[in-house]
């Protein structure tokens, strides 16, 4: 697309959700631009990349489960297509997940999760502590039992983000490296965005995909402002030794003293340990307390981690919505669509989000699987007037 042509679609936000939307839209022949000072940045630079539809199942989230499973089902083809398009691997590993219990309370919690998984028709196998340790010899001797879920895979979100930037480039997506200042609304229609350096960018349709910042763009009428908030996650990166091989062969996770902790081993020797869940606003400080709690809980699961080099500590912001599910598709303001609110499932939901958003951008029709996630479920008022 020529940088001077008015695009059909302007995506505000170049994280993985904005990028996949732009890539898929461009593949449909829509002239597409992305506005972001640093495309490929955002929460994906921090996320562990678990594709955990089954082990992160929660009561009351059955509808979201359907979308999560649909996206997990699309992952193999999505990863292969993105790699073919760019020559870049995504670190997609079908190595499975083991959710373990350390005490009687954890075991009761896991039994409850297992019952919910079974009622939902999901594949999860209960293992004794001994069976868990046979699978993962580095587990603590005190592990009381666990759930083996071979269908919960992983991808490396940093590699995913880099591949999406490359795919967008190759598909002719134009990147504007700036921040969005304000949505432009003319006669009850979103027509573009003004950047913080004062540049006006016009577009046929605007997609707000700015993660936890999506609810803060000036000019968006109150009635359609997405109700997303930041939920901070602190994450550590360590390096596993070459021996014993492998240190861990699959994702290991648990709920320890009420907090989720997971260890995600990558093929390249990186071990990602996450994550805190903190409602502290737009704050990405890594705290001593956060690092301490993650290491303490991870050490209870896998004592040998204290020997590993700690190579990185970082915090990111999950874009959470009131029902923990994403907001996908048109808003009550013509020309403005949303792709945000993915909370704990942004990496998992990347393939289905790209497909859904491209379809609605190209045809105006929100596909069946995305209808429960329309932003209009949160609309508080009919739009009667626009801000000046
Ligand atoms: N899905 C993992 C997390 O949000 O921490």
């Amino acid at each position: 697309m020529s940088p001077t042509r008015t695009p059909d679609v302007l995506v505000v936000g170049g994280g993985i959700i904005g990028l996949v939307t732009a890539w898929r839209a461009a593949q449909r022949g829509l002239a597409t631009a992305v506005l972001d000072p640093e495309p490929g940045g955002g929460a994906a630079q921090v996320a562990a990349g678990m594709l955990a539809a089954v082990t992160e199942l929660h009561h009351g989230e059955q509808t979201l489960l359907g979308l999560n499973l649909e996206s997990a089902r699309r992952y193999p083809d999505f990863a292969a297509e993105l790699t073919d398009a760019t020559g870049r691997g995504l670190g997609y590993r079908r190595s499975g997940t083991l959710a373990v219990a350390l005490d009687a309370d954890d075991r009761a919690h896991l039994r409850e999760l297992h019952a919910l998984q079974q009622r939902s028709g999901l594949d999860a196998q209960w293992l004794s502590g001994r069976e868990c340790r046979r699978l993962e010899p580095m587990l603590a001797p005190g592990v009381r039992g666990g759930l083996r879920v071979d269908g919960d895979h992983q991808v490396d979100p940093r590699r995913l983000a880099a591949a999406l930037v490359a795919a967008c480039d190759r598909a002719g997506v134009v990147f504007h490296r700036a921040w969005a200042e304000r949505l432009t609304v003319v006669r009850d229609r979103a027509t573009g965005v003004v950047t913080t350096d004062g540049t006006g960018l016009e577009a046929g349709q605007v997609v707000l995909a700015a993660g936890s910042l999506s609810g803060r763009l000036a000019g968006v009428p109150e009635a359609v402002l997405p109700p997303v908030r930041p939920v901070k996650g602190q994450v550590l990166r360590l390096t596993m030794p070459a021996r014993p091989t492998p240190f861990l062969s699959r994702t290991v996770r648990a709920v320890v003293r009420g907090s989720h902790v997971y260890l995600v081993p990558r093929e390249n020797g990186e071990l990602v340990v996450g994550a805190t869940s903190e409602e502290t606003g737009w704050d990405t400080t890594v705290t001593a307390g956060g690092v301490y709690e993650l290491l303490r809980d991870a050490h209870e699961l896998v004592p040998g981690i204290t020997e590993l080099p700690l190579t990185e500590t970082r915090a990111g912001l999950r874009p959470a919505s009131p029902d923990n599910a994403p907001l996908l598709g048109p808003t009550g303001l013509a020309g403005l669509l949303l792709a945000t609110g993915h909370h704990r499932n942004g990496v998992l939901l990347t393939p289905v989000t790209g497909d859904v958003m491209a379809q609605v951008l190209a045809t105006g029709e929100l596909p069946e699987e995305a209808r429960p996630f329309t932003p209009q479920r949160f609309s508080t008022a009919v739009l009667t007037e626009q801000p000046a």
Side-chain angles (χ1 to χ4, degrees), residues 9 11 13-28 32-34 39-40 71 74-75 78-79 81-82 90 160-169 171 173 175 207 209 328 339-340 342 345-359 361:
V9 177
V11 181
I16 52 175
I17 294 300
L19 291 170
V20 78
T21 298
W23 180 44
R24 291 307 200 192
Q27 285 180 318
R28 292 242 184 173
T32 304
V34 169
S71 204
R74 295 182 193 191
Y75 239 103
F78 169 79
E81 185 184 347
L82 191 48
L90 311 183
L160 170 64
L164 284 169
V165 171
C168 282
D169 251 334
V173 172
F175 286 102
V207 179
L328 303 173
T340 186
H342 292 68
N345 297 304
V347 180
L348 172 60
L349 289 174
T350 295
V352 79
T353 297
D355 296 345
V356 160
M357 293 307 296
Q359 178 155 342
L361 286 163

Side-chain angles (χ1 to χ4, degrees), residues 70-388:
E70 181 53 33
S71 204
R73 192 185 65 74
R74 295 182 193 191
Y75 239 103
D77 287 348
F78 169 79
E81 185 184 347
L82 191 48
T83 296
D84 273 357
T86 62
R88 290 169 176 266
L90 311 183
Y92 177 51
R93 284 187 91 185
R94 303 183 204 208
S95 43
T97 297
L98 184 63
V100 300
L102 286 166
D103 60 25
D105 283 351
D106 298 348
R107 195 161 58 177
H109 170 90
L110 264 196
R111 285 281 192 199
E112 182 57 34
L113 174 63
H114 193 208
L116 178 61
Q117 290 165 338
Q118 287 178 316
R119 284 199 299 280
S120 308
L122 302 171
D123 209 5
Q125 184 191 358
W126 184 264
L127 301 183
S128 67
R130 182 174 299 177
E131 288 168 327
C132 290
R133 280 188 299 282
R134 203 173 297 139
L135 277 184
E136 295 296 341
M138 297 303 284
L139 279 175
V143 164
R144 299 270 198 109
L147 280 174
R148 175 177 177 168
V149 179
D150 289 344
D152 274 2
H153 303 151
Q154 61 155 296
V155 70
D156 184 336
R158 293 178 176 175
R159 296 175 73 185
L160 170 64
L164 284 169
V165 171
C168 282
D169 251 334
R170 285 174 196 205
V173 172
V174 170
F175 286 102
H176 298 283
R177 287 179 166 75
W179 292 101
E181 167 94 45
R182 151 174 291 272
L183 183 74
T184 314
V185 179
V186 178
R187 286 190 290 281
D188 294 352
R189 183 177 182 91
T191 58
V193 162
V194 178
T195 67
T196 46
D197 59 15
T199 306
L201 301 173
E202 292 186 349
Q205 302 181 81
V206 177
V207 179
L208 187 47
S212 63
L213 292 169
S214 301
R216 300 217 317 181
L217 183 62
V220 178
E222 186 74 29
V224 297
L225 204 59
V228 288
R229 66 184 199 283
V231 176
K232 176 177 166 181
Q234 301 190 47
V235 173
L236 316 177
R237 284 176 162 79
L238 300 91
T239 303
M240 295 181 288
R243 298 262 179 273
T245 310
F247 184 81
L248 288 179
S249 63
R250 73 201 70 221
T251 295
V252 169
R253 58 183 303 153
V255 179
V256 182
R257 285 177 287 271
S259 300
H260 288 270
V261 63
Y262 43 80
L263 296 88
V264 182
R266 301 234 195 277
E267 243 155 15
N268 65 3
E270 184 177 74
L271 180 67
V272 186
V273 176
T276 64
S277 198
E278 303 165 65
E279 305 255 1
T280 49
W282 280 271
D283 159 41
T284 51
T285 314
V286 174
T287 62
V291 174
Y292 165 71
E293 282 169 25
L294 287 173
L295 286 176
R296 180 195 62 196
D297 295 349
H299 171 255
E300 284 191 33
L301 290 184
V302 179
I305 64 148
T306 49
E307 307 297 325
L308 307 185
L310 174 62
T311 50
E312 192 181 320
T313 60
R314 201 150 163 186
L317 299 172
R318 306 175 184 90
S321 73
D323 60 7
N324 297 330
L327 291 83
L328 303 173
T331 65
L333 177 66
L336 179 68
L337 297 89
L338 300 180
T340 186
H342 292 68
H343 196 200
R344 303 181 74 92
N345 297 304
V347 180
L348 172 60
L349 289 174
T350 295
V352 79
T353 297
D355 296 345
V356 160
M357 293 307 296
Q359 178 155 342
V360 72
L361 286 163
T363 67
E365 283 293 311
L366 196 59
E368 185 69 37
E369 64 271 23
R371 294 209 181 128
F373 307 100
T374 168
Q376 303 193 28
R377 73 191 188 277
F378 295 122
S379 289
T380 51
V382 176
L383 283 180
T384 49
E385 55 186 55
Q386 304 302 327

